[in-house]
């Protein structure tokens, strides 16, 4: 019964660009039915408004699902041009093996630790695309009660990020092993 | 007349384990072990028999279609191959749980009418009970962590389905969808727009609490229903012949056709039902809620399971369209067009 929220999947890490103005990131997919003619376009929010206004029939509007990967790859490309030398290895999460190019390609992260590892890119991408506020709403009971395992997991994950950032992969690997150990044997309450 | 703002409301809540990588990258044995842990916790946290668990692979395409049509399974999960995926049904269908789909866990619940806050409350307590046996991936800044970072936060998706064919005919849904998008909400055609049914949902769950998500969806859906009512009045006032022609044709086909496809059936039912609400068609039983139940009943998976005793020709069986037409003829046999 759930509707698919988009019928349009962008793959391959291409940044979808507005088909109308050719400048902005395409965030909206429009399906226009005018008489018997069905047309599809992907456009930015402001071009979408003009297009829907001009439609002599039904215009159905879909959100682009992996908008994030588009925004991320724009952010990453800008960054690469400034800082990175060609051939330099791409950033990778040592817990799950997901690389920055995987994230750009699929718009998906591989594990909880990825949120720390790729946080600069995520902040840039999501800051532009959606809400940049921090979490409101339900908190797991364990976090609220200050569960020692949960606290330790959060601490290790932040440490993991710093280690990966400074390319200290061996130390990062031992933090990863400690995280795996915690999953099997939680910290005792003291 | 029974006032019914929403045809159906539903919620989906996404959770992940804090250590096991997300399903699309994790080793199958880790996911299998996680699945066993989840199932053990479901059994511990509930009365015997409350949860029925099925390996996804044991469910046939017809059974999956049926569950997806009832809002108990997402279309993506229904399509998945998933050797390590399982599906849990709570109290015969009050709620459900997808294990190892796009994320480790996705709780779902749907009910006819306007029940968003009750649905969230029920799923919230199932979530609490699951949490007793596992540590969820959570970050104080990002909230609950999900495979798609744009879904992180509360992990809650709230949906309300409204019937707004007049807004669609009047060409208004596109503009309204764009307006809602700027408020973080989506207006998506439910069944490719058949019958003018639309689903309002929140786009993300970050920086907003569960209460505000459900309230925003309800408020937007109510507003659409109000607009739909006034556009119907305008259409009938400005184009009385066209409106009567449309309703009359719909009723005629519903009463006389012998082969009816699914999308066509939804449009026919929706048109006749709106005709009843406008006082053009006399069919007293056809309330919005009954019309929606009828739309669901003539979905391919429902017809295969409930009317045709199972699976024989699968969802492609041509007799499904014949059975659907027979049901419409029976339901509308005594409906009359007011002159
Ligand atoms: Zn544009
Ligand atoms: Zn990772």
């Amino acid at each position: 019964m759930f509707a698919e929220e988009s019928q349009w999947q962008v793959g391959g890490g291409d940044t979808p660009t507005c088909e109308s103005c050719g400048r902005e990131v395409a965030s909206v997919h429009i399906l226009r039915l005018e008489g018997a003619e069905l047309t599809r376009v992907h456009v930015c929010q402001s071009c979408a408004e003009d297009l829907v206004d001009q439609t002599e029939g039904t215009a159905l509007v879909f959100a682009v699902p992996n908008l994030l990967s588009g925004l991320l790859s724009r952010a990453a490309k800008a960054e690469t041009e400034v800082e990175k030398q060609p051939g330099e290895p791409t950033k990778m999460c040592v817990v799950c093996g997901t690389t920055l190019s995987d994230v750009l390609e699929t718009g998906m992260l591989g594990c909880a630790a990825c949120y720390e590892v790729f946080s600069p890119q995520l902040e840039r991408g999501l800051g532009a695309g959606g809400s940049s506020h921090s979490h409101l709403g339900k908190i797991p009971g364990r976090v609220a009660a200050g569960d020692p395992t949960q606290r330790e997991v959060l601490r290790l994950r932040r440490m993991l990020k710093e280690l990966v950032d400074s390319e200290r992969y061996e130390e990062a690997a031992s933090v990863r092993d400690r995280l795996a150990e915690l999953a099997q044997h939680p910290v005792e309450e003291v | 007349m029974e006032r019914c703002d929403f045809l159906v409301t539903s919620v989906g809540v996404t959770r992940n384990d804090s250590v096991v990588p997300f399903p699309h990258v994790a080793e199958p044995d880790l996911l299998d072990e996680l699945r066993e842990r989840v199932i053990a916790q479901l059994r511990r946290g509930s009365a015997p028999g409350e949860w029925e668990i099925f390996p996804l692979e044991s469910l046939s395409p017809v059974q999956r279609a049926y569950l997806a049509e009832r809002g108990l399974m997402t279309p993506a999960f229904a399509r998945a191959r998933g050797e390590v995926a399982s599906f849990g049904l709570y109290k015969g269908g009050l709620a459900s749980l997808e294990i190892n789909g796009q994320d480790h866990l996705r709780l779902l619940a749907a009910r006819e009418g306007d029940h968003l806050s009750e649905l969230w409350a029920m799923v919230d307590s199932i979530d609490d009970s699951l949490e007793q046996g596992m540590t969820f991936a959570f970050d104080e800044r990002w909230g609950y962590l999900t495979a798609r970072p744009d879904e992180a936060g509360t992990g809650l998706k709230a949906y309300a389905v409204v019937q707004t064919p007049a807004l669609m005919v009047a060409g208004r849904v596109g503009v309204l969808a764009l307006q809602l998008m700027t408020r973080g909400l989506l207006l998506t055609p439910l069944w490719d727009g058949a019958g003018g049914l639309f689903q309002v949902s929140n786009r993300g769950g970050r920086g907003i609490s569960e209460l505000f998500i459900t309230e925003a969806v309800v408020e937007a859906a109510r507003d659409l229903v109000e607009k739909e009512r006034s556009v119907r009045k305008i259409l009938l006032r400005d184009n009385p012949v066209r409106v009567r022609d449309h309703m009359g044709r719909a009723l005629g086909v519903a009463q006389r056709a012998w082969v009816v496809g699914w999308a066509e059936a939804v449009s026919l039912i929706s048109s006749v039902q709106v005709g009843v609400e406008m006082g053009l068609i006399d069919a007293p039983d056809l309330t919005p809620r009954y019309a929606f139940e009828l739309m669901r009943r003539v979905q391919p998976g429902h017809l295969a399971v409930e009317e045709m005793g199972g699976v024989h020709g699968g969802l492609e069986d041509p007799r499904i369209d014949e059975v659907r037409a027979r049901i419409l003829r029976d339901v509308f046999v005594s409906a009359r067009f007011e002159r």
Side-chain angles (χ1 to χ4, degrees), chain A residues 1 109-110 115 123 135 138 150, chain B residues 22 68 124 127 135 141 146:
Chain A
M1 186 207 67
L109 298 176
Y115 275 85
E123 265 154 35
H135 176 66
K138 187 172 180 177
Q150 182 73 24
Chain B
F22 301 143
D124 185 21
D127 175 46
T135 305
R141 228 160 22 115
T146 50

Side-chain angles (χ1 to χ4, degrees), chain B residues 235-257:
Chain B
L235 283 178
L236 187 59
R237 187 195 64 202
D238 294 351
N239 305 287
V241 174
R242 291 289 296 277
V243 171
R244 282 182 168 79
D245 181 64
H246 179 80
M247 309 293 177
R249 282 167 190 271
L251 181 60
V253 174
Q255 287 178 321
R256 297 280 188 271

Side-chain angles (χ1 to χ4, degrees), chain B:
Chain B
M1 165 146 305
E2 172 200 18
R3 190 184 156 91
C4 171
D5 281 346
F6 310 151
L7 300 179
V8 61
T9 41
S10 54
V11 295
V13 171
T14 304
R15 297 287 185 257
N16 284 285
D17 181 79
S18 68
V19 174
V20 177
F22 301 143
H24 70 109
V25 294
E27 298 291 336
D29 52 333
L30 276 179
L31 293 172
D32 198 34
E33 184 268 338
L34 173 72
R35 167 167 72 173
E36 294 310 317
R37 248 192 306 145
V38 170
I39 293 172
Q41 182 55 34
L42 286 177
R43 304 243 184 265
R44 264 200 302 277
S46 64
E50 274 185 353
W51 281 98
E52 297 167 82
I53 317 280
F54 310 90
L56 181 60
E57 287 189 324
S58 74
L59 299 173
S60 73
V62 168
Q63 287 170 317
R64 295 185 199 193
Y66 180 80
L67 290 163
E69 288 170 7
R70 293 219 74 85
L72 291 167
M73 190 183 271
T74 54
F77 194 76
R79 279 194 304 268
R81 274 187 56 249
E83 292 103 16
V84 287
S86 278
F87 177 78
L89 200 62
Y90 180 63
K91 293 188 178 172
L94 275 189
S96 62
L97 176 65
E98 297 175 350
I99 307 174
N100 291 333
Q102 177 180 291
D103 291 275
H104 292 145
L105 301 176
R106 188 173 167 91
L107 281 160
L108 301 165
R111 197 182 307 167
E112 288 80 10
D114 177 1
H115 297 289
L116 264 188
S117 48
E118 291 125 277
L119 291 171
W120 159 244
M122 174 175 61
V123 169
D124 185 21
S125 76
I126 298 174
D127 175 46
D128 286 343
S129 126
L130 275 168
E131 202 214 322
Q132 300 303 311
M134 50 195 303
T135 305
F136 287 142
F138 179 84
D139 177 281
E140 278 162 31
R141 228 160 22 115
W142 291 98
Y144 289 94
L145 306 179
T146 50
R148 302 203 86 92
D150 39 355
E151 291 169 5
T154 58
L156 171 67
K157 280 281 229 173
Y159 308 85
V161 172
V162 292
Q163 185 182 359
T164 57
L167 288 177
M168 187 158 132
V169 169
R172 296 275 300 280
V173 288
V175 176
L176 292 166
L178 288 171
Q179 283 169 6
L180 288 178
M181 230 176 237
T182 61
R183 286 157 50 193
L185 298 170
L186 298 175
L187 178 63
T188 314
L190 181 65
W191 294 316
D192 294 329
L197 268 60
F198 285 83
Q199 166 187 287
V200 182
S201 61
N202 59 307
R203 188 168 190 181
R206 206 169 151 231
I208 180 168
S209 68
E210 293 84 359
L211 178 67
F212 278 81
I213 289 174
T214 54
E215 283 182 358
V217 168
V218 166
E219 193 188 315
R222 286 243 161 84
D223 182 51
L224 288 169
V225 171
E226 286 305 315
K227 289 195 164 69
E228 166 74 11
R229 289 205 175 104
S230 56
V231 172
R232 283 183 193 177
K233 285 197 191 102
I234 295 168
L235 283 178
L236 187 59
R237 187 195 64 202
D238 294 351
N239 305 287
V241 174
R242 291 289 296 277
V243 171
R244 282 182 168 79
D245 181 64
H246 179 80
M247 309 293 177
R249 282 167 190 271
L251 181 60
V253 174
Q255 287 178 321
R256 297 280 188 271
W258 280 69
V259 180
V260 178
W262 146 243
E264 185 186 8
V266 171
S267 297
L268 295 175
I269 297 165
S270 179
S271 297
V272 174
Q273 197 279 316
V274 174
V276 171
E277 274 200 348
M278 286 177 152
L280 302 175
I281 294 174
D282 180 30
D285 296 338
L286 200 65
T287 60
R289 192 159 306 172
Y290 177 68
F292 184 64
E293 203 38 57
L294 186 59
M295 291 174 193
R296 291 184 124 181
R297 200 179 133 205
V298 298
Q299 293 176 105
H302 274 65
L303 291 178
V305 169
E306 291 179 348
E307 311 283 336
M308 300 168 73
V311 282
H312 313 297
L315 293 170
E316 307 304 318
D317 193 320
R319 286 172 306 170
I320 288 179
D321 289 351
E322 297 167 23
V323 173
R324 183 181 293 120
R326 193 202 56 198
I327 290 174
L328 293 187
R329 292 200 306 276
D330 288 350
V331 166
F332 293 116
V333 65
S334 59
R336 278 186 325 109
F337 206 80
E338 301 282 347
R339 277 165 208 285

Side-chain angles (χ1 to χ4, degrees), chain A residues 32 43 53 60 99 129 137 160 163 172 188:
Chain A
R32 296 202 293 173
V43 288
D53 259 357
L60 300 178
T99 64
L160 189 72
L163 291 171
E188 298 293 320

Side-chain angles (χ1 to χ4, degrees), chain A residues 92-98 109-115 117-118 160, chain B residues 21 25:
Chain A
M92 186 182 87
C93 169
V94 288
V95 173
C96 69
T98 297
L109 298 176
C111 73
C114 284
Y115 275 85
V117 175
F118 302 114
L160 189 72
Chain B
V25 294

